[in-house]
Amino acid sequence: MAADNASSVTEFILSGLTDQPGLQLPLFFLFLGFYMVTVVGNLGMITLIGLNSHLHIPMYFFLFNLSFIDLSFSTTITPKMLMSFVSKKNIISYAGCMTQLFFFCFFVFSESFILSAMAYDRYVAICKPLLYTVTMSPQVCLSLLLGVYGMGIWGAFAHTGNIMFLTFCADNLVNHYMCDIIPFLELACNSSYINLLVVFVVVAIGIGLPIATIFISYGFILSSIFHISSIEGRSKAFSTCSSHIIAVSLFFGSGAFMYLKPPSVLPLDQGKVSSLFYTIVVPMLNPLIYSLRNKDVKLALKKSLDRITFFWKRKHNG
């Protein structure tokens, strides 16, 4: 059925971020820089956690996966976006567009649920420290991770399936720098309130559940912190959560701004800017937030750099 519906449109043209010629090249280099920082930061975090055995604990197991998700998420969006700055027409095939939409949804949902798994991990560490190793056993962590990616697959199939049942007639200009849900709903000939309802229901489950988990976890965490008598103990507990709170606020804040308003309330050009934030900026900032505010990661980085310096000196002196 999807193939029949798509027969009138075999490719889409992505309008990109802006149509102002003077901005194309500066924006190309700006976002290329962002992408390089994202790749280096997230690959660096993956390598650090993989190579340092003292980071092989649940908190960093989830952080390892967050970095993998951020790297993949950015790679799904940014290279095609960079094309729009340097080519006259940024054409993408129907199949290519649906593939990008699928992976975009998969990584957005996976990121939401990995952030909620990290909140649960912080809750157990602060509220039930004596039971931490039992509660967050490798089996539990693996089950949580399977749940994270399972929900990612569910969200991706639900959104992509919803869009594939739309008919696109003559107009194939997508007013965005990527294949996203709302521009497609506006472009389709047969888009109805049911399609919009599906989007809101899927987003409410896929984003609502993680947000509820995060709020409940932090409710218990705050209650537990206020019962800690020493100021030093309180500040230590707060510092273990601060990176996560910043990451959660950035991701869900920008996402909510884009999707929890009807398209008529939020002009698409304004929507493009807010979606830029969580598709490009958040994956770049996450490794920086976790490395700059985390003693364990800083220590692992120092050890790794010392090891590299030692081998380099030995090689050149030998």
Side-chain angles (χ1 to χ4, degrees):
M1 183 169 179
D4 293 342
N5 285 347
S7 58
S8 52
V9 168
T10 56
E11 61 185 25
F12 294 102
I13 301 164
L14 299 172
S15 71
L17 193 61
T18 178
D19 54 4
Q20 292 179 26
L23 288 174
Q24 302 294 346
L25 214 55
L27 285 174
F28 172 81
F29 286 111
L30 175 69
F31 288 109
L32 179 64
F34 280 1
Y35 184 59
M36 287 167 76
V37 172
T38 304
V39 171
V40 170
N42 285 294
L43 270 182
M45 190 66 84
I46 288 167
T47 309
L48 269 185
I49 295 168
L51 293 180
N52 288 275
S53 54
H54 76 281
L55 297 181
H56 294 176
I57 56 172
M59 179 182 171
Y60 295 104
F61 171 72
F62 293 124
L63 185 53
F64 179 95
N65 280 278
L66 178 69
S67 290
F68 166 73
I69 290 165
D70 279 337
L71 177 63
S72 310
F73 184 22
S74 189
T75 303
T76 303
I77 305 298
T78 314
K80 192 65 187 163
M81 180 197 183
L82 290 172
M83 292 277 291
S84 68
F85 295 125
V86 290
S87 59
K88 280 195 169 75
K89 260 190 186 179
N90 194 12
I91 294 168
I92 186 167
S93 68
Y94 178 86
C97 212
M98 292 303 122
T99 305
Q100 190 191 51
L101 177 66
F102 180 87
F103 283 106
F104 163 66
C105 294
F106 172 72
F107 291 119
V108 168
F109 277 74
S110 298
E111 178 132 356
S112 304
F113 281 92
I114 201 90
L115 287 170
S116 68
M118 291 167 90
Y120 176 70
D121 172 68
R122 293 299 81 214
Y123 154 72
V124 177
I126 290 167
C127 301
K128 299 181 178 180
L130 299 176
L131 297 171
Y132 183 74
T133 48
V134 180
T135 312
M136 297 304 290
S137 66
Q139 291 88 344
V140 171
C141 290
L142 200 59
S143 301
L144 284 169
L145 193 67
L146 288 173
V148 164
Y149 291 126
M151 289 308 289
I153 290 168
W154 171 79
F157 271 114
H159 276 315
T160 312
N162 186 25
I163 298 302
M164 284 178 81
F165 279 102
L166 295 174
T167 306
F168 301 99
C169 303
D171 192 5
N172 68 340
L173 180 67
V174 179
N175 186 15
H176 214 308
Y177 58 82
M178 63 177 185
C179 298
D180 198 3
I181 301 150
I182 292 172
F184 277 132
L185 291 177
E186 294 192 344
L187 195 64
C189 322
N190 64 339
S191 175
S192 69
Y193 76 94
I194 292 173
N195 297 103
L196 199 58
L197 186 67
V198 169
V199 171
F200 276 109
V201 168
V202 175
V203 168
I205 295 168
I207 307 299
L209 272 179
I211 287 178
T213 308
I214 290 163
F215 269 107
I216 292 164
S217 298
Y218 276 106
F220 285 119
I221 287 168
L222 285 172
S223 158
S224 190
I225 286 173
F226 288 131
H227 285 101
I228 298 171
S229 51
S230 71
I231 295 168
E232 191 187 334
R234 277 188 195 180
S235 67
K236 191 184 174 188
F238 265 122
S239 70
T240 62
C241 299
S242 60
S243 301
H244 184 255
I245 291 169
I246 295 166
V248 164
S249 306
L250 286 174
F251 180 73
F252 286 112
S254 53
F257 186 74
M258 175 71 188
Y259 289 104
L260 295 183
K261 287 182 174 184
S264 56
V265 175
L266 184 69
L268 254 178
D269 290 338
Q270 206 179 328
K272 280 187 207 178
V273 175
S274 68
S275 63
L276 256 187
F277 208 74
Y278 72 91
T279 56
I280 312 280
V281 179
V282 169
M284 178 183 74
L285 290 181
N286 275 345
L288 298 174
I289 291 165
Y290 280 98
S291 57
L292 296 174
R293 300 186 60 85
N294 191 301
K295 284 177 188 169
D296 292 335
V297 173
K298 280 185 193 170
L299 182 68
L301 183 61
K302 188 179 178 297
K303 273 187 182 175
S304 298
L305 290 173
D306 288 348
R307 222 178 289 162
I308 291 163
T309 310
F310 171 73
F311 283 122
W312 187 81
K313 278 181 180 173
R314 202 168 73 169
K315 187 183 174 185
H316 285 266
N317 293 338

